[in-house]
Amino acid sequence: MVMGEVPDAVDVVVIGGGPGGYEAALHAAQLGRQVTLIERGRVGGVCLNVGCIPSKILIETATRRQLYRDIAGASAPPAEDLQRWQGHKQAIVDRLNGGVAAQLKSAGVDVLAGQARLTGRNRVAVALAAGHTRFMEFRHAILATGSRPVTLPCLPADDPRVLDSTAALALTALPQRLVVVGGGYIGIELATAFAKLGTAVSVVEMQARVLPEMPASVAAPLAKRLRELGIEVYLNTAVEGLDAEGLRCRRGDTVQHLPCDRVLVAVGRRPNSDDIGLESAMIQADKNGRIAVGPNRIVAGTAIAAIGDLTAGPMLAHKASAEAAVAARAICGQRVAFEPAAIPLVVFSDPEIACAGATEESAAADGIATRAVTVPLSASGRAATLGTALGFTRLLVDTERDAVIGVQLVGPHASELIAAAVVAIEMAASPADLAATVWAHPTLSEGLHEAARRYLERQ
Ligand code: FAD
Ligand code: NAD
């Protein structure tokens, strides 16, 4: 280099403005640091712009249409106008987006629009959206560049029939026949939504059951409802390609074509760690693209923290935000660690599925003696008023510590109900604590109370 670039000295740089990055920036600013947040797209990241929020708007729209169809029968309205729906979705996303931008502004965070790349242990170059490059030297950096969909070589992304979740949520016309490859979180949530909107949906999953990362207990009620919604599920099935007859799949020696006009590929996500200059900062990602961090989220021997989908653990927005608070405090010299007893896992399927803490399998592997109690949803008066009995509440107790260590919920509003379980697990509540608490009637939350009561009865 003939002339060296003289970098601007900055205090804290946060790269990526998703639920990890923007929360980290807000926390660091609140702790008195001068924060520069660099985002190449829109603040809010995947979650707000193309992930959690848009998918839940689609699920909500589809569920209301399904309810209407169930009640009105033959006089159901025609399939949802996705063109109009896009406007509805974008208005919500834009409003929430504005809220995040306003929070960052009022906290004094300097937001730069551009693509960042580390160029040294304390340096970053930002290719600004405005066209030029800005160089900065930071005291601390927090990496929160998130993840992107995994692609399959046999389903090239340039085939207009092949969609990832972002493209599926941007559709302006409903597919007639959709095959979803991957029966994980995205596959099951979007398969259910499109089926409720009127699309003929199939799911192809390479494992022996859908949601293979979830406890096996949730499989039966989910499978029943997927059947009711007319969703065909192909398990232990590998995808081989897409041709004029449809999606070519193989199960053992049997090759089959699934006719379709669209294929949604939802086979996992990969961290955005390969193009951010990690090598210049002497940081190495593992073979899955994850960055190793200490309990305080700092990369050993550096002034750099990493959070969210970039690091090990579930790729979830609330995990990213919770790590953000830890990372911000760690770079301020506080002794902190990210060690939650329970990170809730929620699938916004029908019925909803929510799990927190240990399962019987994980407890057994850790040598913990447990006893589980299951209360079926058919025992719930509130569930009856909602017209369903499909689901359950399952409570897992560490018998030695007399503490609740795991909860699994399947049923309406499980996504909301799991919060009580997370508090119980974090506080190491005993079944007696839960049983002695007064729970409102008639509610679905009473399932947890009932499970604790039944546990005590059988002691
Ligand atoms: P991201 O949200 O991915 O944000 C990273 C940001 O960094 C992006 O805005 C990106 O533009 C920016 N960036 C990347 N590289 C650079 C660079 N070099 N320079 C500048 N900026 C950069 N999770 C849930 O908890 N609940 C849900 O219901 C849920 N639903 C989902 C539905 C879908 C369809 C998808 C795809 C995901 C869903 N998730 C959900 C997962 C959730 O979106 C992610 O776990 C979460 O967004 C991760 O947050 P993050 O801050 O680590 O990264
Ligand atoms: P996932 O890891 O949840 O599921 C991927 C599924 O695809 C697995 O069941 C896997 O066995 C299957 N699979 C992999 N390769 C395959 C192949 N070649 N053929 C057929 N099946 C194959 O991944 P996802 O659904 O893409 O979602 C990515 C991540 O986003 C999730 O892991 C989750 O962390 C997050 N997310 C969360 C929520 C939520 O919290 N409600 C919703 C959506 C996404």
Side-chain angles (χ1 to χ4, degrees):
M1 185 165 33
V2 179
M3 283 188 297
E5 296 288 347
V6 180
D8 300 331
V10 294
D11 184 14
V12 177
V13 161
V14 177
I15 305 180
Y22 80 73
E23 285 289 351
L26 291 173
H27 281 289
Q30 211 163 36
L31 290 163
R33 305 291 296 263
Q34 283 297 319
V35 185
T36 305
L37 171 70
I38 306 159
E39 169 56 57
R40 65 182 178 191
R42 297 185 87 194
V43 289
V46 167
C47 173
L48 173 45
N49 295 295
V50 294
C52 325
I53 299 297
S55 59
K56 267 79 254 179
I57 303 171
L58 187 74
I59 289 165
E60 208 54 51
T61 306
T63 298
R64 285 175 196 193
R65 180 175 185 275
Q66 169 76 24
L67 267 177
Y68 185 89
R69 202 166 52 181
D70 284 353
I71 294 165
S75 60
E80 206 66 35
D81 176 355
L82 281 190
Q83 181 81 51
R84 249 184 74 206
W85 179 81
Q86 288 296 339
H88 165 69
K89 174 197 81 176
Q90 206 51 51
I92 297 172
V93 168
D94 288 348
R95 185 170 66 74
L96 297 176
N97 214 278
V100 174
Q103 267 185 292
L104 290 166
K105 189 170 178 206
S106 76
V109 174
D110 188 15
V111 179
L112 285 186
Q115 171 104 10
R117 194 180 166 82
L118 295 165
T119 54
R121 293 174 66 88
N122 288 78
R123 289 191 177 197
V124 63
V126 187
L128 294 168
H132 54 289
T133 300
R134 186 166 158 195
F135 298 89
M136 290 184 272
E137 188 163 72
F138 54 79
R139 273 180 69 203
H140 290 103
I142 300 177
L143 308 181
T145 52
S147 64
R148 60 183 184 280
V150 167
T151 53
L152 292 176
C154 65
L155 295 174
D158 59 2
D159 185 324
R161 292 170 295 176
V162 176
L163 312 171
D164 61 13
S165 58
T166 302
L169 290 166
L171 284 172
T172 51
L174 208 56
Q176 287 193 331
R177 299 190 74 86
L178 173 71
V179 180
V180 179
V181 182
Y185 280 83
I186 293 177
I188 292 303
E189 288 187 1
L190 295 190
T192 305
F194 279 105
K196 286 181 177 178
L197 287 172
T199 296
V201 180
S202 310
V203 176
V204 176
E205 165 59 52
M206 71 188 323
Q207 306 268 357
R209 63 182 171 91
V210 296
L211 298 180
E213 302 295 323
M214 286 281 167
S217 56
V218 307
L222 179 63
K224 181 167 190 284
R225 185 65 180 136
L226 291 176
R227 268 195 308 276
E228 278 173 13
L229 289 168
I231 299 173
E232 291 176 352
V233 179
Y234 297 85
L235 299 173
N236 297 310
T237 302
V239 174
E240 294 191 333
L242 186 59
D243 52 38
E245 287 175 69
L247 188 77
R248 199 171 63 253
C249 304
R250 176 182 291 276
R251 182 162 192 246
D253 293 332
T254 313
V255 175
Q256 185 179 4
H257 274 91
L258 303 178
C260 55
D261 53 330
R262 289 280 188 276
V263 177
L264 164 61
V265 181
V267 294
R269 296 181 60 86
R270 186 171 172 84
N272 292 322
S273 58
D274 34 12
D275 196 25
I276 55 172
L278 288 182
E279 58 296 339
S280 309
M282 311 293 180
I283 299 173
Q284 235 187 343
D286 69 14
K287 67 175 188 340
N288 298 316
R290 305 261 191 163
I291 297 175
V293 289
N296 61 2
R297 306 293 100 176
I298 291 188
V299 181
T302 74
I304 299 175
I307 58 175
D309 287 6
L310 269 185
T311 59
M315 287 183 164
L316 298 173
H318 44 281
K319 181 253 191 185
S321 317
E323 287 177 297
V326 171
R329 289 168 66 185
I331 62 163
C332 294
Q334 297 186 20
R335 276 170 52 81
V336 279
F338 179 70
E339 282 167 358
I343 298 176
L345 311 177
V346 175
V347 188
F348 292 80
S349 45
D350 180 356
E352 287 187 353
I353 295 168
C355 304
T359 60
E360 276 148 302
E361 296 80 23
S362 73
D366 292 339
I368 299 170
T370 58
R371 190 150 67 81
V373 174
T374 302
V375 179
L377 207 61
S378 53
S380 163
R382 183 65 179 125
T385 69
L386 296 173
T388 182
L390 189 62
F392 58 82
T393 299
R394 191 167 174 81
L395 188 71
L396 185 68
V397 179
D398 176 336
T399 48
E400 216 163 281
R401 284 172 57 226
D402 190 30
V404 175
I405 59 167
V407 171
Q408 294 155 27
L409 303 173
V410 179
H413 307 298
S415 55
E416 303 291 342
L417 300 169
I418 198 67
V422 174
V423 173
I425 296 167
E426 280 292 352
M427 298 185 78
S430 67
D433 291 330
L434 295 189
T437 305
V438 182
W439 301 69
H441 177 76
T443 63
L444 297 163
S445 63
E446 288 172 294
L448 215 47
H449 182 245
E450 181 61 18
R453 244 177 32 81
R454 290 191 190 183
Y455 177 88
L456 294 173
E457 268 169 22
R458 288 187 215 147
Q459 262 188 328

